[in-house]
Amino acid sequence: MPNRGMSGLEKAKYVLFGKSQNSAYVWQDREVRFDCPVSALDCRPGETLIDTMSQIEDTKGNSGEQGQLTMTNLRLMWVSDKSHRINLTLGYNCIVSINIKEASSRLKGSTQALFVLTKFHTSKFEFIFTNFVRDSPRLFTTIQTVFRAYNTSRMYRDLKLRGAVISDKELKLLPLEQIYSQVNGVWNLSSEQGNLGTFFVTNVRLVWHANLLETFNVSIPYMQIVSVGVRDSKFGQALVIETHPNSGGYMLGFKVEPQDRMDKVYTEIETLWQVYSAEPILGVQFTVEDVAKPLKDMTIHRKQDDVEIVDADASAAFAAYYAEDGRQADREVVYNPDLGLATETLPAGMTLSDLWNVV
């Protein structure tokens, strides 16, 4: 436990560095961490690297230090160039707002910067990131786009009660979601008498809804499940699903009859849950465009120009104007009415329009 001699920041870091209760728990999008072990910066199963930007300053916490900003489908990470032990990892679920404002940077002066406001437990943290690359909007556009994609795909990751997930007794499928089985006649044991409904088992979640009232439903992503088992209840043997404390710590009971049918449903759910845990489908879809290619792919080898030089009148006029071989003295100066100026007499065969064509 943190002792009384710790500063407020040290106590916050003690909480932020604490180990999760479940090793399979996805903390990357749910926590804010400072100066965490380098191993914690590695992508977990299901986490995908989206973009990386160099020459980014953590203006508020490490002013004057450049680092690398990395975006995944779960979090935003900043790592100092001087030492990888100086780092930040910001889960998208903790982000309250993202804004572009004026900031004062030690290295760049007054400039536009990215302000990220986060909240973790009862603490709020503000981060300011400044891009040293001139006229590069990636710092602003990419993060905002990825964060928007994360927010619009919460059904993949968050437990939802009484949501708009059923329409005309059919499950509203999410992108990338597939139904593996539909189990009718499933009792929800949350009330004294139980409610009869239908179970949908998919590759990303479990969904139950009451047959008489579609809005009485629950959507349970595999990401939030802590355990699945069959236990005794006052209704007899029941399928029990326990969810993570961060999603409410629910203990949800369902009864399927007969017993062999419930065993089959239990086996299917447990198998799909294990498969999902090994390779989660987190729902953040993105398309990477204009990715910088490696230097070797961008190098253009020099080659001999395959062209033929053809003499033209304009070229002759150009040469005659700047140099004349064998010329011993200046030509006679005469008045040119077209120009209103005194000029040298033009060489034989040369006109004033020929000289203008060069220009």
Side-chain angles (χ1 to χ4, degrees), residues 173-235:
L173 288 176
L174 303 171
L176 308 178
E177 185 176 25
Q178 298 177 355
I179 296 177
Y180 279 86
S181 63
Q182 177 178 337
V183 186
N184 299 314
V186 179
W187 291 87
N188 185 325
L189 307 180
S190 59
S191 61
E192 289 297 324
Q193 74 277 10
N195 292 281
L196 185 63
T198 302
F199 222 177
F200 291 94
V201 181
T202 80
N203 57 332
V204 297
R205 57 178 173 165
L206 308 174
V207 179
W208 177 91
H209 74 90
N211 290 339
L212 298 178
L213 185 62
E214 290 182 353
T215 55
F216 183 48
N217 57 58
V218 58
S219 174
I220 315 167
Y222 293 129
M223 182 175 175
Q224 297 299 336
I225 293 178
V226 173
S227 67
V228 179
V230 176
R231 304 181 189 177
D232 289 326
S233 70
K234 64 180 180 180
F235 298 97

Side-chain angles (χ1 to χ4, degrees), residues 49-299:
L49 179 65
I50 296 177
D51 197 4
T52 299
M53 288 179 282
S54 57
Q55 294 183 280
I56 304 295
E57 178 192 51
D58 173 21
T59 305
K60 192 168 186 178
N62 295 281
S63 182
E65 286 192 26
Q66 295 189 35
Q68 188 175 72
L69 193 69
T70 300
M71 282 160 283
T72 76
N73 54 341
L74 292 179
R75 55 181 166 162
L76 182 67
M77 294 180 284
W78 180 86
V79 181
S80 171
D81 289 340
K82 290 184 178 179
S83 173
H84 288 181
R85 293 183 61 84
I86 302 175
N87 58 69
L88 302 168
T89 172
L90 317 178
Y92 295 142
N93 193 63
C94 300
I95 294 179
V96 177
S97 64
I98 297 177
N99 294 294
I100 301 171
K101 302 178 185 178
E102 287 289 328
S104 180
S105 165
R106 181 180 298 178
L107 297 180
K108 200 174 181 182
S110 181
T111 183
Q112 280 197 329
L114 186 75
F115 285 67
V116 181
L117 180 64
T118 65
K119 183 178 181 181
F120 182 49
H121 293 320
T122 58
S123 302
K124 285 187 177 181
F125 304 96
E126 184 183 53
F127 303 90
I128 304 174
F129 299 105
T130 303
N131 192 353
F132 290 149
V133 178
R134 219 176 240 282
D135 301 325
S136 176
R138 282 175 59 203
L139 175 62
F140 310 126
T141 57
T142 307
I143 294 177
Q144 291 174 320
T145 301
V146 173
F147 181 61
R148 191 179 305 115
Y150 177 89
N151 265 338
T152 56
S153 60
R154 289 184 178 272
M155 291 298 292
Y156 285 88
R157 303 174 301 274
D158 294 349
L159 186 145
K160 185 72 173 178
L161 297 172
R162 298 178 180 272
V165 297
I166 303 295
S167 177
D168 295 330
K169 300 188 183 301
E170 294 293 332
L171 177 63
K172 294 181 180 178
L173 288 176
L174 303 171
L176 308 178
E177 185 176 25
Q178 298 177 355
I179 296 177
Y180 279 86
S181 63
Q182 177 178 337
V183 186
N184 299 314
V186 179
W187 291 87
N188 185 325
L189 307 180
S190 59
S191 61
E192 289 297 324
Q193 74 277 10
N195 292 281
L196 185 63
T198 302
F199 222 177
F200 291 94
V201 181
T202 80
N203 57 332
V204 297
R205 57 178 173 165
L206 308 174
V207 179
W208 177 91
H209 74 90
N211 290 339
L212 298 178
L213 185 62
E214 290 182 353
T215 55
F216 183 48
N217 57 58
V218 58
S219 174
I220 315 167
Y222 293 129
M223 182 175 175
Q224 297 299 336
I225 293 178
V226 173
S227 67
V228 179
V230 176
R231 304 181 189 177
D232 289 326
S233 70
K234 64 180 180 180
F235 298 97
Q237 290 280 298
L239 176 67
V240 178
I241 299 172
E242 181 182 359
T243 67
H244 197 275
N246 281 4
S247 64
Y250 293 101
M251 192 77 72
L252 304 171
F254 302 93
K255 185 170 179 61
V256 184
E257 293 180 330
Q259 182 66 39
D260 59 345
R261 186 164 173 250
M262 183 166 64
D263 292 340
K264 182 179 179 181
V265 172
Y266 161 71
T267 301
E268 181 180 36
I269 293 175
E270 186 180 37
T271 301
L272 289 173
W273 176 43
Q274 296 298 334
V275 170
Y276 178 91
S277 298
E279 195 63 39
I281 300 173
L282 302 174
V284 183
Q285 295 180 277
F286 59 92
T287 301
V288 179
E289 298 179 351
D290 300 329
V291 178
K293 297 180 180 179
L295 181 60
K296 64 178 183 179
D297 294 340
M298 299 176 66
T299 303

